[in-house]
Amino acid sequence: MHKQPKLTRFNENVLAKYQIYNSIFMTLPFDTITKTGVLLPLFHDICKEGFSSKQNPSEIVENFFKTYQENPSEEEKINLLFKFIQYIERQVVLFDAIEDAAFPIVNNMDGIGTLRNIKEIATQENKKEALKKHLEDFKIRVVLTAHPTQFYPGAVLGIITDLTEAIQNNDLLLINQLLAQLGKTPFFKHEKPSPYDEAVSLIWYLENVFYHSISQVYNYIQSNIFDNQKIDNDIINLGFWPGGDRDGNPFVTTEITLNVAKRLKQTVLRNYYRDVRKLKRKLTFNGVEQLISELETMLFENSVNPAINTLISLEEFKEKLQQIKNTLISKHQSLYIEDINDVINKVHLFGYHFATLDIRQDSRIHQNVFAEIVTTLQKNGNTLFPENYLELSENEQLTILSTISDNVDISIFKEEMVTKTLESIKAIKTIQQNNGERGANRYIISNNQTAVNVMETFAMFNLCGFNHNISADIIPLFETVNDLTNAPSVMEKLYTNPAYLKHLKSRNNKQTIMLGFSDGTKDGGYLMANWSIFKAKEFLTKISREHGIKVIFFDGRGGPPARGGGKTHQFYASLGPTIEDEEIQLTVQGQTISSNFGTLDSSQFNIEQLLSAGISNELFSNANHIMTKNETEIMNDLALTSYEAYVNFKNHPKFMPYLEHMSTLKYYGKTNIGSRPSKRSKSAELNFADLRAIPFVGSWSQLKQNVPGFYGVGTALKKYEDAGEFEKVKHLFHHSDFFKTLIGNSMMALSKSFFALTEYMAKDEEFGEFWELIYNEYETSKRLILKLSDYDELMQGNKVGKASINIRENIVLPLLTIQQFALRKIQEIQKQENPDTELLKVYEKMVTRSLFGNINASRNSA
């Protein structure tokens, strides 16, 4: 049967269902105010009308109370606004659940970018053998991070899962009960989660989604591309940051790291136990029954109580499963062979580690730590380092760092950060002993600026007993525009260092390099950050190939385009042969985890899209992937022009005061959604360098200005329009998939902007001119991107994405209005001679509470 257009499917299965279930939801009384559900739609209408007639948020709120309430007291007004917040954030949950439930209907699960589609194209083009060969080496790695851009507590995630299933089954009674449960379940956490709590929350996705979706994808590849033959390559890896990411998080301890690794192992054993238990009911034959029973007992004991330690080695476990499979083939006509294959593949994929726990720390912390190590060792009579080591040149230090080796006694160090850093390196060895080498074999150095930064980490491993046999990858992370530019010269020094080269040889001559989108965007603006990463990848590929090293790029990508998000698979498919692409590695965080990998269908679909992006780039690449010299020059000029515009904007004297006084920046730390502090230093003064990328990008998002996703793009395009050379950038747009993907993601940022919300700021004595500056760049960017793409409206080529954004923005319009109303009230109270501190706290709480629904509504599909 011919399917209806995608937008029609979306409207029927998402929009229509939302309208039906929302009408049920709005009639449910959750508290003392029973009329909330009736009043909210009226408030929504007042907001729409108010903004279209250029009223400010305060006028809109007061107009609502004047129209629909009879002389309400200040307390009654505040109570009702809090009730509206409570309803709206749950409307977002309802919409998420409906969209998740409709995912396999709206998206073609066998269409473009899926494995079935790739297999069919390969067969048609007589490239099936080439596809097989490529998959023998190619991998993707999805790394879950604890960056707090997801505001749903665990209880709410559970409700979304149950609600999604109930909606798929059209179970009205259960939907009604779950909506009532949702209304009474708190969203707000009174205490910050610990890094271990964050890990437990994300392990839920490993256990309930990835364990099944990854194995399904792998099973399909094995049976349909490899004709049921064994694949040595695991193809899909999982990475994990909660509990190992120390960068800016003082609450991550070695004990937490070890406990997270233990929890990962227990969880995967529990999943194996469930599978083996199901197998036991089927494999009731001679020769296999006893074996399967022994495995079941062993897995149960060790998943419940790891102290028992009756676990056989991973190799023995695999051998026993293979023995069962061989017996089924030789004696039982291959009965239930697919079931045993599924378990064998899962053990191959997830081992005893489930996901690789990455350790990460900032190079600036390392520098201080290393200086303390050198000084303390010298004081204790250790002669590893010469007395003048800290005054030596970079090359002299590199020579010394290459050779040292010891197993130092950590107790001699009095500085806490030194012991924490060295213990985290020793923890890698412990985790590898317990969970296998893949349990923890990557150490990431964020803010990496020099070769010494890498070699200090190399030396610390060798000071912790690894004795130049380091069973881990040392991964520099280049983030700022300057660091990205300097990255090739840093790697050149490392590749010509004999000790480091020997280490790389032991790691199969592979070097992983991480590149950070969000700090690059924060530092240099949207176009420059993306172009700097592209150019860095080209240079790093070239230099690595010259030295016989296979470079693997690990992208620190986020949710919104400003953090490297947007259509991720399109980004990877747009990279040409000048960039090494044997592996795709990327971070996934916050609401991107739930929106792209929250259900079995969405997880399988997005994993396949990533795989196919890498496969098609290698097997079916076209001329659009290779920029000519002239196109490269234009792209370079666009990036430099936008960079200049963004840097001037960032250096504007009102930039930081605007964020501090007119946005929600300082309220992020009060939400208790993540264990990390919201800024790097403990200083009371706010400065740009200390700003974390998430609160920075999030604050612009809450203002509905989304500056990091477009600022400078309009200025860059206007340069060509003013010079009468706009056809040049049009040509680039139509001939470069990379540039087209960037512009497409920028369109998404513009689509989520709504300047009517803050138009009142144009009249502000202090910030009016600054607001106009942002608004003019928005208007210029929007106008010229439409001209560039020949679109009549933004995201015209992605109508379903546009429709989803429109509904979400419509849901939170009253919430945004309340947030701005509260911010204006705070400013009013602060200007009073004797401010009412209690009332101030109430409105500050209102701003904080309104963050939840707004952020959750802004989720992006990768």
Side-chain angles (χ1 to χ4, degrees):
M1 194 177 88
H2 183 66
K3 275 191 168 181
Q4 295 169 307
K6 191 173 181 181
L7 185 60
T8 306
R9 300 199 303 271
F10 176 85
N11 288 335
E12 287 182 0
N13 294 281
V14 179
L15 178 57
K17 280 191 175 181
Y18 173 72
Q19 288 166 343
I20 293 164
Y21 294 136
N22 185 49
S23 63
I24 296 170
F25 175 69
M26 298 299 272
T27 62
L28 297 171
F30 299 123
D31 233 308
T32 50
I33 303 175
T34 52
K35 289 183 182 174
T36 309
V38 177
L39 291 170
L40 182 54
L42 299 173
F43 180 53
H44 186 277
D45 290 342
I46 292 268
C47 291
K48 282 185 87 167
E49 289 164 17
F51 286 121
S52 64
S53 58
K54 299 195 178 296
Q55 290 179 353
N56 68 47
S58 304
E59 290 167 338
I60 290 168
V61 172
E62 292 304 333
N63 186 26
F64 166 75
F65 285 118
K66 207 179 290 178
T67 309
Y68 293 107
Q69 299 277 280
E70 206 170 313
N71 298 320
S73 66
E74 190 74 13
E75 190 182 349
E76 285 171 332
K77 286 182 186 178
I78 287 167
N79 284 342
L80 184 58
L81 291 176
F82 272 112
K83 288 300 162 196
F84 282 164
I85 292 171
Q86 183 186 2
Y87 264 77
I88 295 161
E89 62 192 7
R90 284 155 180 78
Q91 283 179 309
V92 174
V93 173
L94 174 61
F95 186 75
D96 281 350
I98 291 167
E99 202 166 42
D100 286 347
F103 190 92
I105 302 166
V106 173
N107 296 279
N108 185 352
M109 300 298 282
D110 295 321
I112 293 167
T114 63
L115 284 173
R116 178 170 290 188
N117 173 253
I118 284 288
K119 192 198 88 170
E120 285 171 2
I121 294 171
T123 306
Q124 284 165 14
E125 296 188 12
N126 203 23
K127 288 184 175 177
K128 194 171 173 193
E129 279 306 308
L131 172 60
K132 239 168 104 170
K133 192 171 188 319
H134 184 55
L135 283 169
E136 283 168 2
D137 296 309
F138 179 67
K139 292 179 195 239
I140 64 167
R141 180 186 291 259
V142 176
V143 181
L144 306 188
T145 79
H147 292 349
T149 55
Q150 168 68 280
F151 281 58
Y152 294 142
V156 175
L157 285 173
I159 294 169
I160 293 177
T161 304
D162 294 342
L163 195 52
T164 301
E165 193 178 335
I167 290 164
Q168 281 175 328
N169 298 328
N170 289 315
D171 188 337
L172 280 171
L173 182 63
L174 183 55
I175 289 166
N176 200 50
Q177 287 176 332
L178 289 166
L179 289 175
Q181 181 189 349
L182 182 65
K184 290 179 174 291
T185 302
F187 277 43
F188 188 72
K189 296 174 183 175
H190 293 287
E191 290 179 4
K192 275 183 177 287
S194 72
Y196 184 75
D197 296 332
E198 288 173 328
V200 170
S201 294
L202 284 188
I203 287 171
W204 184 92
Y205 288 100
L206 298 183
E207 183 173 12
N208 294 286
V209 182
F210 285 102
Y211 181 76
H212 305 286
S213 61
I214 287 175
S215 60
Q216 279 172 9
V217 172
Y218 189 86
N219 291 346
Y220 179 88
I221 291 170
Q222 187 180 54
S223 58
N224 291 278
I225 297 170
F226 282 82
D227 303 317
N228 291 313
Q229 296 302 304
K230 186 187 173 194
I231 316 170
D232 291 326
N233 182 20
D234 47 12
I235 301 174
I236 309 159
N237 294 158
L238 283 171
F240 203 74
W241 276 17
D245 183 7
R246 285 165 164 68
D247 181 12
N249 195 337
F251 307 113
V252 177
T253 63
T254 306
E255 185 186 9
I256 282 176
T257 303
L258 294 170
N259 283 338
V260 169
K262 198 182 290 181
R263 180 71 175 241
L264 284 164
K265 183 177 181 179
Q266 272 183 276
T267 307
V268 80
L269 291 178
R270 186 162 65 232
N271 277 23
Y272 292 156
Y273 164 70
R274 290 183 190 126
D275 281 349
V276 167
R277 192 177 171 201
K278 284 177 196 165
L279 260 182
K280 189 185 170 189
R281 294 188 65 169
K282 296 177 177 179
L283 305 186
T284 51
F285 328 131
N286 286 335
V288 293
E289 190 179 18
Q290 183 61 31
L291 263 177
I292 206 87
S293 288
E294 286 170 10
L295 289 178
E296 182 199 25
T297 304
M298 177 198 74
L299 290 166
F300 176 75
E301 285 175 352
N302 287 275
S303 63
V304 172
N305 184 7
I308 289 174
N309 200 20
T310 57
L311 200 62
I312 56 177
S313 74
L314 187 63
E315 286 312 307
E316 284 178 272
F317 186 21
K318 287 179 178 178
E319 281 169 21
K320 284 185 185 291
L321 290 171
Q322 191 61 45
Q323 200 179 327
I324 292 166
K325 179 182 174 178
N326 293 342
T327 307
L328 291 179
I329 293 168
S330 63
K331 295 185 178 176
H332 303 291
Q333 294 77 48
S334 297
L335 197 54
Y336 297 124
I337 198 77
E338 284 183 0
D339 298 75
I340 190 71
N341 261 340
D342 179 55
V343 178
I344 289 170
N345 285 343
K346 282 170 177 167
V347 174
H348 174 55
L349 290 165
F350 306 118
Y352 283 158
H353 66 287
F354 211 163
T356 300
L357 187 60
D358 289 350
I359 309 295
R360 183 172 79 131
Q361 184 54 284
D362 192 295
S363 68
R364 291 164 294 193
I365 299 289
H366 278 180
Q367 280 178 310
N368 294 335
V369 162
F370 209 80
E372 189 65 31
I373 289 172
V374 171
T375 309
T376 305
L377 288 174
Q378 287 171 344
K379 279 179 187 171
N380 281 267
N382 189 307
T383 56
L384 276 173
F385 295 94
E387 278 185 33
N388 64 338
Y389 171 81
L390 296 174
E391 285 79 51
L392 295 176
S393 68
E394 182 185 26
N395 286 338
E396 288 170 322
Q397 286 187 348
L398 287 173
T399 304
I400 293 163
L401 293 169
S402 303
T403 57
I404 59 168
S405 183
D406 204 341
N407 196 355
V408 297
D409 177 7
I410 295 179
S411 67
I412 66 169
F413 301 103
K414 302 299 172 223
E415 187 68 43
E416 186 188 18
M417 192 52 80
V418 177
T419 56
K420 271 187 170 184
T421 305
L422 296 179
E423 280 172 356
S424 71
I425 291 171
K426 293 213 174 214
I428 290 175
K429 192 167 268 191
T430 306
I431 294 167
Q432 289 186 351
Q433 285 164 355
N434 295 332
N435 295 15
E437 198 225 85
R438 290 193 293 166
N441 61 4
R442 290 151 56 96
Y443 195 109
I444 299 155
I445 310 152
S446 52
N447 193 51
N448 198 99
Q449 296 174 347
T450 65
V452 167
N453 293 154
V454 175
M455 291 306 289
E456 281 175 345
T457 309
F458 178 83
M460 283 192 283
F461 269 88
N462 290 321
L463 287 171
C464 288
F466 278 84
N467 194 25
H468 287 272
N469 184 22
I470 302 171
S471 52
D473 297 324
I474 298 169
I475 304 173
L477 163 53
F478 300 103
E479 302 179 78
T480 66
V481 172
N482 275 345
D483 291 347
L484 288 163
T485 306
N486 295 333
S489 63
V490 170
M491 297 315 298
E492 172 80 43
K493 281 181 181 170
L494 293 171
Y495 291 157
T496 52
N497 181 293
Y500 193 76
L501 208 55
K502 189 182 173 192
H503 162 66
L504 286 182
K505 198 172 181 183
S506 74
R507 306 299 295 166
N508 299 316
N509 281 325
K510 289 184 177 181
Q511 171 67 57
T512 303
I513 298 173
M514 188 173 179
L515 303 159
F517 279 80
S518 52
D519 279 313
T521 307
K522 176 180 159 246
D523 176 56
Y526 178 71
L527 271 188
M528 183 51 117
N530 281 279
W531 182 237
S532 296
I533 287 169
F534 185 91
K535 294 304 291 176
K537 283 185 175 180
E538 284 196 322
F539 286 129
L540 290 165
T541 297
K542 185 172 180 287
I543 202 167
S544 299
R545 286 173 179 170
E546 284 169 4
H547 287 276
I549 305 297
K550 181 77 76 172
V551 68
I552 293 159
F553 295 115
F554 175 24
D555 290 315
R557 304 180 70 85
R563 291 180 55 70
K567 292 289 176 188
T568 304
H569 56 272
Q570 286 179 7
F571 167 82
Y572 284 111
S574 74
L575 303 178
T578 54
I579 290 174
E580 199 71 71
D581 63 349
E582 189 175 281
E583 290 193 28
I584 287 176
Q585 297 191 4
L586 73 162
T587 56
V588 187
Q589 56 194 244
Q591 72 272 66
T592 311
I593 297 173
S594 59
S595 63
N596 294 339
F597 303 99
T599 67
L600 287 173
D601 289 319
S602 63
S603 177
Q604 183 179 331
F605 183 82
N606 283 301
I607 287 165
E608 289 192 22
Q609 292 287 322
L610 277 175
L611 276 168
S612 70
I615 293 166
S616 60
N617 206 0
E618 182 70 23
L619 265 63
F620 315 119
S621 65
N622 56 58
N624 277 19
H625 292 171
I626 306 165
M627 282 193 204
T628 63
K629 187 180 178 222
N630 187 42
E631 287 167 350
T632 301
E633 284 170 5
I634 293 167
M635 188 67 228
N636 204 45
D637 185 52
L638 287 167
L640 284 167
T641 307
S642 73
Y643 178 63
E644 193 179 320
Y646 179 79
V647 169
N648 288 339
F649 171 66
K650 195 175 71 172
N651 291 337
H652 193 289
K654 294 299 176 192
F655 184 90
M656 286 306 294
Y658 181 81
L659 275 178
E660 191 169 5
H661 299 293
M662 305 302 275
S663 84
T664 58
L665 183 67
K666 60 188 176 191
Y667 297 94
Y668 265 78
K670 299 176 182 179
T671 54
N672 293 331
I673 55 158
S675 65
R676 272 170 122 195
S678 56
K679 63 189 187 81
R680 284 189 168 90
S681 79
K682 292 177 182 176
S683 160
E685 190 182 321
L686 194 65
N687 69 72
F688 187 78
D690 284 342
L691 281 184
R692 291 203 180 285
I694 287 168
F696 174 71
V697 171
S699 297
W700 291 112
S701 173
Q702 296 278 328
L703 283 167
K704 303 316 289 177
Q705 292 175 357
N706 290 319
V707 158
F710 71 81
Y711 203 94
V713 176
T715 299
L717 294 174
K718 193 171 184 299
K719 179 182 174 182
Y720 282 79
E721 184 185 50
D722 291 346
E725 297 181 331
F726 201 73
E727 282 305 311
K728 286 185 177 180
V729 284
K730 262 202 165 184
H731 180 273
L732 181 66
F733 179 79
H734 291 295
H735 288 81
S736 164
D737 288 346
F738 173 74
F739 184 53
K740 188 181 282 185
T741 301
L742 285 194
I743 294 297
N745 284 338
S746 199
M747 274 196 213
M748 188 188 286
L750 291 164
S751 295
K752 293 182 177 185
S753 297
F754 180 59
F755 277 82
L757 178 72
T758 55
E759 199 169 344
Y760 70 89
M761 293 182 189
K763 295 171 188 167
D764 188 272
E765 201 174 302
E766 187 180 354
F767 297 110
E769 189 189 320
F770 189 73
W771 185 91
E772 290 281 0
L773 189 71
I774 300 166
Y775 180 63
N776 290 338
E777 183 66 19
Y778 161 79
E779 283 290 307
T780 305
S781 299
K782 182 181 173 183
R783 178 178 68 80
L784 291 176
I785 280 178
L786 290 175
K787 183 178 178 179
L788 182 70
S789 58
D790 293 319
Y791 284 176
D792 296 318
E793 59 175 31
L794 295 169
M795 294 182 71
Q796 195 172 303
N798 179 11
K799 289 185 176 174
V800 169
K802 173 87 171 167
S804 176
I805 287 170
N806 287 346
I807 296 167
R808 289 174 178 279
E809 297 299 320
N810 192 46
I811 291 169
V812 295
L813 183 66
L815 194 57
L816 292 162
T817 310
I818 291 167
Q819 185 182 85
Q820 284 296 318
F821 165 75
L823 283 168
R824 284 169 63 87
K825 280 285 186 188
I826 290 164
Q827 289 163 8
E828 282 173 26
I829 294 168
Q830 286 172 337
K831 285 173 186 171
Q832 290 167 3
E833 209 169 303
N834 296 304
D836 184 336
T837 52
E838 287 308 308
L839 192 59
L840 188 67
K841 282 179 191 169
V842 170
Y843 283 115
E844 285 182 336
K845 185 183 176 186
M846 194 177 284
V847 172
T848 306
R849 290 290 289 109
S850 64
L851 289 169
F852 289 65
N854 287 333
I855 283 286
N856 288 330
S858 295
R859 77 182 195 176
N860 287 270
S861 293

